[in-house]
Amino acid sequence: MRRRTLHRVTTRIVAGLALLGATVYATACAPLPGGRTVSVLATWTGTEAEHFGKVLAAFEDRTGIHVEYTGTRAIDETLRSDLRGGTPPDIAILPSTGDLAQYAHSGDLLPLDGVVSRQDQYGRPWLLRLNRKVYAVPFKVNLKSLVWYDRSRWWPSPQEMRDPLSLRTGGRARSVWCLGMQALRSAGWPGTDWIEDILLHQVGPEKYRKWASGTLAWTSDEVRQAWETWGRILDASGLDRQGRRVALLTDFSEAGLGLFGDPPGCLLEHQASFVIVTYPSGRDVDFFPFPSLPSGKGGAVRRSVVVSADFAGMFNATPQAKELMRFLAGDEAQRIWPAIPAGAAFSANLGVPPDVHSVKDPVGRKVADTLDGAAMVCLDASDLMPPALRDAFGDAVIEYLSAPERLPDLLTELDRVQDRVKNRWRPNEQERKDLLSFSCPGPLNRPGRPIRPVKPNGVTP
């Protein structure tokens, strides 16, 4: 009979500004026979840690290897501190591929060639590949190009789904859009998601690739237009300066609760698929894909979407770490979390079809179908950026909400930060090409799943 390790989860608040945030340690009640152990660091705490614990329990059952898991919202600071102290985790699962690329460049992150043998389980660009070596595999995917609403409060019309600039509250709520900019890990990122979606849906994947990989200037017409469009959308929706100041003080996980007030405080939330876990259970929530926006070029378009992903990489090449990396990359492990109702986890593994999502989770199934039906999938641009530029992007979003007239100065400063980062990191030519192709890896291309054409507004016919 297989022996399942019971996980005990305790929560600590890490002292010190550098490690501010909730940290969860999941440890076994007793060591497994043989004393083999592997350490894992990721961002998941609370319910997410419990869901990931099911994956780790399956690995322990299968191998007898004990997993020591640490989940922290301050993952960047924690990993850098561990690396400086010479005690990195065996495996880290990071949402920032920009960080992973720099760790690969410095030699801290180890290549996975020869470790993850079934690389054909992913479309080739979905693996973080630098200098012709694979360094990380996607474990959990979140679809970002979504607009959420409570169907019991409001059902947007097809016109309102097509054109966010046409949205007005009409006395139904204080503002059309729910907005919260605060977050433990990086304040301002909900606003960077807006800029990314608008840019992709205005000018398409090729310009998005160049911007995400640092070869399109922040002061370019395309990038400036995306910022200005976001400002016009917020202005049109009734989010005045007072509302923006409130958004600056609101945690992103609480912003969407305005959907469910009586009367509602807001009608729509632009947020990733993981937001579903923050909504009250039992509510009739639904979403529509972020629409394509006018770009001055007519004609039909094929839907592109922005996603974020948590990528697993190896920092110590122990036999146990290699075994866990192989497991995390395989379809057995990648089916576990998506199969949990309302688990809000999705997979880029070609062996994990949308119907792995429970029939009790129709919204999750719809998210998976939307992801599978995308003609182009682009990774969150801020996650691809080096940490200093990513943080400056978030800071600029916050400043723009406070003082939109400062946009030219903010974009000029972001160009300066980008130049400083390039001079400090100095990626080689092959790394530049790899990051350019990685920013928009393409459709999932799951076998038997055709890409569906869509109308010019980006809404499925």
Side-chain angles (χ1 to χ4, degrees), residues 362-445:
V363 174
R365 180 77 66 87
K366 183 179 175 181
V367 172
D369 281 334
T370 303
L371 181 60
D372 256 33
M376 179 60 68
V377 174
C378 293
L379 292 169
D380 182 296
S382 60
D383 286 344
L384 289 159
M385 296 172 186
L389 183 57
R390 178 189 66 218
D391 294 344
F393 186 11
D395 291 343
V397 161
I398 291 173
E399 183 66 22
Y400 177 66
L401 285 175
S402 300
E405 67 278 2
R406 292 203 60 238
L407 179 61
D409 293 337
L410 296 173
L411 297 180
T412 298
E413 179 57 27
L414 285 170
D415 272 338
R416 293 194 188 105
V417 174
Q418 184 161 268
D419 288 340
R420 288 198 297 269
V421 166
K422 285 181 181 177
N423 292 334
R424 187 163 56 247
W425 179 24
R426 295 179 182 173
N428 61 42
E429 188 60 30
Q430 185 60 48
E431 288 171 334
R432 292 181 192 276
K433 291 180 180 178
D434 290 337
L435 290 173
L436 182 64
S437 65
F438 186 64
S439 56
C440 286
L444 291 185
N445 282 333

Side-chain angles (χ1 to χ4, degrees), residues 127-144:
L127 302 171
L128 176 56
R129 195 181 301 267
L130 294 168
N131 297 315
R132 299 181 177 86
K133 294 181 180 180
V134 172
Y135 282 91
V137 295
F139 179 73
K140 177 176 178 282
V141 175
N142 296 295
L143 179 55
K144 289 207 162 188

Side-chain angles (χ1 to χ4, degrees), residues 155-233:
W155 198 309
S157 68
Q159 173 61 28
E160 289 169 320
M161 293 182 190
R162 285 193 294 268
D163 181 11
L165 283 170
S166 71
L167 287 163
R168 301 290 188 276
T169 59
R172 293 170 291 192
R174 292 190 300 273
S175 170
V176 171
W177 296 100
C178 312
L179 197 63
M181 290 290 117
Q182 282 299 310
L184 277 176
R185 181 171 177 263
S186 180
W189 67 257
T192 67
D193 283 359
W194 267 102
I195 303 300
E196 291 156 3
D197 246 335
I198 291 171
L199 181 71
L200 176 63
H201 289 88
Q202 278 185 327
V203 299
E206 289 308 314
K207 294 285 188 179
Y208 184 96
R209 275 194 184 104
K210 292 179 180 179
W211 172 62
S213 59
T215 58
L216 178 66
W218 291 84
T219 48
S220 66
D221 290 342
E222 295 89 346
V223 177
R224 175 185 49 77
Q225 180 187 21
W227 287 75
E228 292 174 342
T229 300
W230 185 39
R232 290 198 300 273
I233 289 172

Side-chain angles (χ1 to χ4, degrees), residues 95-392:
S96 172
T97 46
D99 288 342
L100 286 166
Q102 290 200 353
Y103 289 136
H105 185 80
S106 65
D108 294 303
L109 183 65
L110 305 178
L112 298 176
D113 298 277
V115 177
V116 177
S117 57
R118 290 292 314 280
Q119 295 180 8
D120 60 343
Q121 291 177 312
Y122 299 87
R124 184 181 181 278
W126 273 92
L127 302 171
L128 176 56
R129 195 181 301 267
L130 294 168
N131 297 315
R132 299 181 177 86
K133 294 181 180 180
V134 172
Y135 282 91
V137 295
F139 179 73
K140 177 176 178 282
V141 175
N142 296 295
L143 179 55
K144 289 207 162 188
S145 299
L146 302 176
V147 178
W148 297 88
Y149 61 98
D150 179 1
R151 296 200 296 183
S152 66
R153 291 288 187 272
W154 181 46
W155 198 309
S157 68
Q159 173 61 28
E160 289 169 320
M161 293 182 190
R162 285 193 294 268
D163 181 11
L165 283 170
S166 71
L167 287 163
R168 301 290 188 276
T169 59
R172 293 170 291 192
R174 292 190 300 273
S175 170
V176 171
W177 296 100
C178 312
L179 197 63
M181 290 290 117
Q182 282 299 310
L184 277 176
R185 181 171 177 263
S186 180
W189 67 257
T192 67
D193 283 359
W194 267 102
I195 303 300
E196 291 156 3
D197 246 335
I198 291 171
L199 181 71
L200 176 63
H201 289 88
Q202 278 185 327
V203 299
E206 289 308 314
K207 294 285 188 179
Y208 184 96
R209 275 194 184 104
K210 292 179 180 179
W211 172 62
S213 59
T215 58
L216 178 66
W218 291 84
T219 48
S220 66
D221 290 342
E222 295 89 346
V223 177
R224 175 185 49 77
Q225 180 187 21
W227 287 75
E228 292 174 342
T229 300
W230 185 39
R232 290 198 300 273
I233 289 172
L234 297 183
D235 287 341
S237 77
L239 196 71
D240 57 17
R241 291 215 173 203
Q242 177 60 29
R244 297 185 189 196
R245 284 193 288 269
V246 171
L248 295 175
L249 301 173
T250 301
D251 190 87
F252 82 94
S253 64
E254 299 175 353
L257 297 180
L259 296 172
F260 312 105
D262 192 13
C266 46
L267 301 175
L268 297 172
E269 183 174 28
H270 172 255
Q271 191 51 273
S273 53
F274 57 69
V275 77
I276 191 70
V277 302
T278 71
Y279 291 157
S281 61
R283 301 309 295 249
D284 188 15
V285 295
D286 200 357
F287 67 85
F288 57 88
F290 195 88
S292 296
L293 297 169
S295 62
K297 300 177 182 179
V301 298
R302 304 177 78 191
R303 181 185 300 147
S304 299
V305 296
V306 177
V307 304
S308 64
D310 296 279
F311 283 81
M314 186 173 66
F315 287 80
N316 287 311
T318 66
Q320 301 94 292
K322 293 178 181 180
E323 189 70 21
L324 181 53
M325 279 302 312
R326 280 190 286 270
F327 181 74
L328 292 176
D331 58 3
E332 177 187 349
Q334 299 242 348
R335 286 170 176 263
I336 295 172
W337 198 340
I340 299 173
F346 306 91
S347 176
N349 187 298
L350 299 179
V352 183
D355 61 11
V356 75
H357 294 269
S358 168
V359 294
K360 298 178 182 179
D361 185 17
V363 174
R365 180 77 66 87
K366 183 179 175 181
V367 172
D369 281 334
T370 303
L371 181 60
D372 256 33
M376 179 60 68
V377 174
C378 293
L379 292 169
D380 182 296
S382 60
D383 286 344
L384 289 159
M385 296 172 186
L389 183 57
R390 178 189 66 218
D391 294 344

